[in-house]
Amino acid sequence: MAALERISEEKMQQYLAKVPQWQRSGNAITRIYQFPNFLMAMGFANAVAICAEAAQHHPDIAIFSWNKVKISIVTHGQGGLTENDFILASKIDAIQP
Amino acid sequence: MAALERISEEKMQQYLAKVPQWQRSGNAITRIYQFPNFLMAMGFANAVAICAEAAQHHPDIAIFSWNKVKISIVTHGQGGLTENDFILASKIDAIQP
């Protein structure tokens, strides 16, 4: 299966099981991270940005409530989740498990 | 008036007039900026972060849709807007008019 094809519901469950800290939210998967302070939250946001730029797949990154970061991944072009989205989630999990 | 006191509705209108590109949104003021690409959006987010850390006043920063940044400023402790919030908005406007 091409990494950019929208995946089936069955595949979705398999992939979600591999990134258990991510939640499905509509056409996206999201995870919220918490840090000791604002600067660490920004540092993580930048690490995600470097990873995203390398993959040419850019999630939404929200730094909020002073020390939290919410990542939302979706492949807009496909109108739903693809294998690529879960690959990016795994890479982000590798930055901050 | 202390910069950390919640401001009156009358003052609010005066302050909003000074930062005309910001919108009131509930207890916050927000502005959305657009950039040529993701890296420029992240660069701006970081410039805002440096400014925010220096002021010890941390807005929510959302990098979304690949090239947009939404800044939301609110003084949580006061349950509403204060002079400090508008000072931060002016500083951010100075980064990217």
Side-chain angles (χ1 to χ4, degrees):
Chain A
M1 189 187 66
L4 279 168
E5 278 174 20
R6 191 170 174 173
I7 54 177
S8 67
E9 196 58 36
E10 191 188 341
K11 271 282 180 198
M12 177 87 71
Q13 296 308 320
Q14 290 175 26
Y15 285 132
L16 277 170
K18 290 182 185 174
V19 288
Q21 295 183 92
W22 290 75
Q23 311 290 321
R24 195 172 168 186
S25 172
N27 274 341
I29 48 173
T30 68
R31 184 177 169 188
I32 294 173
Y33 297 79
Q34 186 165 332
F35 297 91
N37 54 53
F38 179 74
L39 292 181
M40 289 301 290
M42 279 306 300
F44 173 69
N46 280 295
V48 170
I50 292 165
C51 180
E53 185 66 12
Q56 279 297 297
H57 186 18
H58 304 96
D60 291 351
I61 304 171
I63 301 104
F64 68 102
S65 293
W66 176 69
N67 68 342
K68 296 183 186 67
V69 180
K70 180 178 183 179
I71 309 292
S72 304
I73 306 176
V74 63
T75 300
H76 297 280
Q78 306 301 314
L81 289 156
T82 69
E83 194 181 352
N84 259 7
D85 296 321
F86 288 94
I87 291 170
L88 183 59
S90 295
K91 285 180 181 168
I92 296 171
D93 274 350
I95 297 170
Q96 178 73 29
Chain B
M1 188 188 68
L4 278 168
E5 278 174 20
R6 191 170 172 172
I7 54 178
S8 67
E9 196 59 35
E10 192 187 342
K11 271 279 179 201
M12 177 86 70
Q13 296 308 320
Q14 290 174 24
Y15 284 132
L16 277 171
K18 290 181 186 174
V19 288
Q21 294 183 94
W22 290 75
Q23 310 291 322
R24 195 172 169 187
S25 171
N27 274 342
I29 46 173
T30 67
R31 183 176 169 189
I32 294 174
Y33 296 79
Q34 187 166 330
F35 297 91
N37 54 52
F38 178 74
L39 292 180
M40 289 301 290
M42 279 306 302
F44 173 69
N46 280 294
V48 170
I50 292 166
C51 179
E53 185 66 13
Q56 279 297 298
H57 187 18
H58 303 96
D60 292 350
I61 304 171
I63 302 104
F64 69 103
S65 294
W66 176 68
N67 67 341
K68 297 183 185 67
V69 180
K70 181 178 181 177
I71 308 292
S72 303
I73 305 177
V74 64
T75 301
H76 296 281
Q78 305 301 314
L81 289 157
T82 70
E83 194 180 353
N84 259 6
D85 297 320
F86 288 93
I87 291 170
L88 183 59
S90 295
K91 285 179 181 169
I92 296 172
D93 275 348
I95 297 170
Q96 178 74 29

